[in-house]
Amino acid sequence: MLRVAVVGSGPSGVYAAQTLVQQREVPGVRVDVLDRLPAPYGLVRYGVAPDHEKIKSLQGNLRGVLEDERIRFLGNVEVGGEQLPTERLLELYHAVVYCVGAARDRLLGIPGEDLAGVHSATAFVNWYSAHPDAEREDFRLPGVRSAVVIGAGNVAVDVTRILARGEAELLPTDMPQPALGALAGSGVRAVRMVARRGPSQGKFTTKELRELGTLPGVAVGVDPAELALDPAYADPAAALPAVNRRNVEVLRGWAEDPPGDADRRIELRFFLRPVELLGDGSGQVRAVRFERTVPAADGRGGVTGTGTYEEIEAQLVLRSVGYQGVALPGLPFDAGRGTVPHAAGRVLRDGRASVGEYVAGWIKRGPTGVIGTNRPCAKETASSLLQDAPALAARELPADPLPALRAAGLHPVEWPGWLAIERAEADLGSSLGRRSVKIPDWPTLLHAADPASAG
């Protein structure tokens, strides 16, 4: 029997586990899927916006994999700390596949980033998605009239949309009650999503972009003069990738048909680079100072500053300028790339493949792609592992790693514990007159999973 630990229960981890147990070349593979959180599914549970129910329904597919009798879910298990260092994990399993994602957001690196009201989009997403690590008290929305979102990717679009939605649209979601209450009482009337480059270079998908124009009571505006700065926008025949071309078409439609009056407004701004966050004297952000940019002369997609500046009012600023991988103690790490060095998924130590250690997902390739991108990425890693299987399986192991994990002071949440959390969330929603509502804190999650051990 080949026993494998997969660290991380998001799409890349689940797809890796699925590939390992469903292949036929190496019989008898058993996989433990370990996660630091007591709940599975990773970014599908804690990253996909709560109003995107179709995407969140992917949990059903992941669930089917984790319910395979050859796969065991062990939540509330942190790898890399004193209780379970990486070298100890490798003593318990023939192989370990790390699928730990990219947990840190990038900073803007400009003055004023420490002002109150300035947050990462990641923190905001964690808050409204009930991530148990979220700092829920930082988002005081009733005093916010104008919000600025810096970035031009799908996460920027998500947080813009959530800020602009009304309570009636959020009520049917699984958003935690504190976040729902804060957003329902929000004073936000204007959300400006700002990009330093042009419309043809936006990283959002067309479906996400178009959705902004369908929000009830929300007008979407663009500045035709800003759009025209982009040579690829000005030329409808420009050779653009299909997604970027469709994005340009959506923006052109909004420019040609300006919105009327509405309770709330979304503005998409382009060719503006943030240079400073301005405070009101009390430590609270009041505006963002931007420099106007223009396309660089080399035509490679860069921009240059013009020395012309504009201030945009904001009592809330969310930066959404990308993610970075975080080093896991005990694993090699390329700080520049934010990834673990690897060859086809095999972890490299000093340029050589480390026996039994593998990576998949964002920690392998960087924070790129969509959920589906994780499937071929995980398959490549699993294929490398299976090629190595004869040598890996020759090593003697304990019969079952679970007693050793418990002896180390860990309290794994197994699949029945996760099902108990699901029932508790359904009961919580019912008590609030809603559908299932996510539990947002560690103590309540652990108590739901195992009332006796949680106290």
Side-chain angles (χ1 to χ4, degrees):
M1 177 188 294
L2 183 71
R3 189 175 290 279
V4 180
V6 171
V7 182
S9 65
S12 61
V14 174
Y15 292 150
Q18 182 181 39
T19 302
L20 289 169
V21 300
Q22 289 185 348
Q23 54 76 40
R24 298 180 179 180
E25 293 80 5
V26 180
V29 178
R30 294 294 183 269
V31 179
D32 283 352
V33 177
L34 280 55
D35 202 296
R36 185 177 69 86
L37 300 175
Y41 311 138
L43 283 179
V44 177
R45 174 174 166 91
Y46 288 116
V48 174
D51 59 339
H52 275 178
E53 293 190 9
K54 185 174 181 179
I55 302 176
K56 289 180 76 67
S57 67
L58 178 61
Q59 290 185 15
N61 297 336
L62 302 181
R63 181 193 193 101
V65 176
L66 292 174
E67 288 181 333
D68 189 299
E69 62 181 7
R70 297 164 293 183
I71 297 174
R72 179 170 58 179
F73 173 71
L74 298 175
N76 194 37
V77 174
E78 184 167 8
V79 175
E82 292 183 3
Q83 292 175 305
L84 188 58
T86 54
E87 57 268 24
R88 175 56 176 156
L89 189 61
L90 198 55
E91 293 173 357
L92 299 174
Y93 294 88
H94 291 114
V96 181
V97 184
Y98 293 94
C99 309
V100 292
R104 181 183 299 155
D105 63 283
R106 295 182 184 274
L107 295 171
L108 297 170
I110 61 176
E113 210 159 357
D114 58 346
L115 289 168
V118 179
H119 306 273
S120 71
T122 303
F124 191 64
V125 170
N126 284 347
W127 172 70
Y128 68 60
S129 296
H131 196 293
D133 293 339
E135 297 179 8
R136 287 170 289 279
E137 298 178 358
D138 281 350
F139 298 99
R140 300 179 178 89
L141 299 178
V144 177
R145 302 179 304 278
S146 176
V148 166
V149 178
I150 299 172
N154 277 344
V155 175
V157 175
D158 277 349
V159 298
T160 295
R161 187 183 66 254
I162 292 294
L163 282 168
R165 276 208 186 276
E167 179 184 10
E169 302 153 61
L170 297 174
L171 192 62
T173 73
D174 62 1
M175 180 179 288
Q177 193 68 17
L180 176 65
L183 287 162
S186 166
V188 175
R189 291 296 174 264
V191 186
R192 296 173 177 90
M193 194 175 84
V194 187
R196 64 184 178 87
R197 299 196 291 175
S200 70
Q201 297 162 317
K203 298 298 184 182
F204 35 71
T205 56
T206 308
K207 179 180 180 296
E208 295 270 354
L209 177 65
R210 188 179 286 121
E211 191 176 2
L212 294 178
T214 67
L215 303 180
V218 179
V220 179
V222 293
D223 184 342
E226 289 181 348
L227 301 180
L229 291 173
D230 187 338
Y233 175 88
D235 179 9
L240 289 172
V243 172
N244 302 74
R245 185 177 66 252
R246 289 193 294 267
N247 289 343
V248 165
E249 291 170 357
V250 172
L251 294 165
R252 183 174 285 114
W254 288 338
E256 293 173 353
D257 185 18
D261 294 333
D263 292 338
R264 297 178 299 281
R265 182 177 180 85
I266 292 173
E267 294 181 6
L268 279 68
R269 304 290 308 274
F270 296 94
F271 291 112
L272 291 172
R273 178 168 57 199
V275 295
E276 186 177 5
L277 296 155
L278 305 174
D280 63 1
S282 68
Q284 169 69 38
V285 69
R286 66 168 179 83
V288 187
R289 190 172 190 236
F290 291 93
E291 181 183 15
R292 168 65 64 195
T293 63
V294 294
D298 59 13
R300 295 180 179 178
V303 293
T304 58
T306 64
T308 301
Y309 298 89
E310 175 182 347
E311 291 184 13
I312 298 179
E313 175 195 1
Q315 297 81 40
L316 174 68
V317 177
L318 300 177
R319 63 175 183 271
S320 182
V321 291
Y323 297 91
Q324 292 178 307
V326 178
L328 187 68
L331 281 186
F333 188 69
D334 183 334
R337 297 178 179 272
T339 58
V340 171
H342 73 93
R346 295 179 178 93
V347 171
L348 298 178
R349 294 182 181 272
D350 299 322
R352 295 184 178 183
S354 176
V355 177
E357 293 185 306
Y358 304 83
V359 285
W362 278 4
I363 201 64
K364 171 187 174 184
R365 67 180 191 274
T368 61
V370 294
I371 290 174
T373 310
N374 290 293
R375 190 179 288 278
C377 173
K379 186 175 181 180
E380 179 191 53
T381 297
S383 296
S384 294
L385 192 160
L386 292 167
Q387 290 170 16
D388 303 339
L392 297 174
R395 185 163 54 91
E396 292 289 335
L397 294 180
D400 184 355
L402 189 54
L405 297 179
R406 289 175 173 151
L410 296 166
H411 302 280
V413 171
E414 298 183 65
W415 194 251
W418 159 240
L419 297 180
I421 290 173
E422 279 194 320
R423 290 192 297 271
E425 293 184 336
D427 292 344
L428 175 60
S430 179
S431 72
L432 296 168
R434 299 172 59 193
R435 290 189 283 178
S436 182
V437 171
K438 285 195 286 191
I439 295 170
D441 63 276
W442 277 99
T444 310
L445 282 169
L446 295 177
H447 184 270
D450 186 353
S453 66

